[in-house]
Amino acid sequence: MTIYGDREKCYVCYRPKSSCMCSYFEHIKTKTKFVILMHPKEFKKVKNNTGYFTHRSLLNSELFLGIDFTKNERINEIIASHDSYILFPSKEALNLTTTKPNISKKPIAIFLIDATWACTKQMFTQSKNLQALSHMSFTTTQTSQYQIKEQPDDAYLSTIESTLVVLKELNKWKIESIEEPKLNSFLNPFYKMIEYQQNFLKNANSNAVRFKKRK
């Protein structure tokens, strides 16, 4: 931690100590590479962004900011050196809940798009290399716990919630061997962030100044 003015802040996330989530990250090591593609609009919310939380939680992950990744050398390098999938529900998608991915000599890479649905379609349209990736999906009855943000549909999960489902399925297929306690704690920074924001809103409402109309 470091001090800025009269407020103590974390030198990693630059949040005030009172709202720092760094101590809650599990830092899980995986054989699978996770690639988080963040739309610039999400970057503005990076301190509360679950794509960023996912990146911080997974040691074998990389995060890229942008819309068109067609000519991104590092992303194309990952695609060439891995059996690459993009988490995207479609009729052609490999359902990880019911089907084990084919194992080859190459490691697996899973691309996660961190954006709204409209922005996701924009990224797909412009990124020719993403269009060529195999789709991956899963089946779950889980609903999002993102109580401070309204999801467009009950079936939608945040990036970090979706990643947890994927990690559990990879464990089931013996592609990963992540310890259960680490999986159980994976969403801790997410829950703490929600708790912090709910408390902040409660305090803000209780301290609000109410004005009376003059007679």
Side-chain angles (χ1 to χ4, degrees):
M1 296 290 175
T2 187
I3 305 292
Y4 289 88
D6 60 349
R7 299 187 72 188
E8 191 174 11
K9 290 190 177 181
C10 172
Y11 68 88
V12 177
C13 69
Y14 296 102
R15 295 181 68 120
K17 184 178 178 181
S18 61
S19 61
C20 173
M21 305 297 158
C22 291
S23 62
Y24 300 107
F25 292 114
E26 271 297 339
H27 305 297
I28 294 174
K29 186 176 181 179
T30 60
K31 299 173 185 176
T32 306
K33 174 171 283 295
F34 287 86
V35 184
I36 298 100
L37 306 177
M38 183 183 293
H39 193 278
K41 287 185 178 179
E42 294 297 318
F43 179 72
K44 296 177 181 178
K45 303 177 288 184
V46 71
K47 290 182 178 180
N48 298 324
N49 176 270
T50 68
Y52 172 71
F53 281 11
T54 302
H55 174 52
R56 288 287 309 278
S57 299
L58 299 175
L59 296 176
N60 189 14
S61 71
E62 296 185 43
L63 187 150
F64 298 89
L65 178 69
I67 298 174
D68 185 357
F69 299 100
T70 304
K71 296 181 180 180
N72 187 295
E73 291 185 7
R74 177 55 186 155
I75 288 177
N76 287 329
E77 182 181 275
I78 293 171
I79 292 173
S81 59
H82 291 72
D83 284 331
S84 298
Y85 295 86
I86 189 162
L87 195 63
F88 189 80
S90 69
K91 292 181 179 179
E92 299 78 25
L94 180 148
N95 188 327
L96 192 58
T97 305
T98 58
T99 308
K100 181 179 181 179
N102 291 325
I103 304 299
S104 70
K105 293 181 180 179
K106 291 182 179 181
I108 294 174
I110 299 176
F111 286 72
L112 310 169
I113 294 184
D114 189 51
T116 63
W117 184 246
C119 291
T120 295
K121 289 195 286 187
Q122 180 189 23
M123 293 162 77
F124 255 120
T125 301
Q126 296 189 30
S127 302
K128 305 303 179 185
N129 49 355
L130 300 186
Q131 295 174 20
L133 297 180
S134 299
H135 294 181
M136 178 179 283
S137 65
F138 55 76
T139 305
T140 181
T141 57
Q142 180 181 332
T143 57
S144 179
Q145 299 302 302
Y146 210 161
Q147 300 168 13
I148 58 175
K149 180 179 180 181
E150 185 177 347
Q151 299 292 356
D153 188 274
D154 290 340
Y156 280 66
L157 299 178
S158 67
T159 302
I160 194 168
E161 291 173 304
S162 296
T163 304
L164 177 59
V165 176
V166 170
L167 291 173
K168 287 181 176 180
E169 297 297 349
L170 292 175
N171 252 17
K172 181 183 73 178
W173 296 117
K174 308 299 182 184
I175 294 172
E176 297 292 345
S177 54
I178 305 167
E179 297 174 356
E180 196 68 24
K182 286 186 173 292
L183 289 175
N184 292 338
S185 301
F186 186 71
L187 294 182
N188 279 357
F190 171 65
Y191 291 142
K192 290 294 179 182
M193 179 264 290
I194 293 173
E195 180 184 328
Y196 171 80
Q197 292 200 350
Q198 286 177 329
N199 289 334
F200 180 82
L201 290 173
K202 285 180 183 177
N203 292 332
N205 290 333
S206 63
N207 294 329
V209 178
R210 292 175 174 81
F211 293 93
K212 288 185 178 180
K213 205 172 184 180
R214 290 185 179 181
K215 294 181 180 179

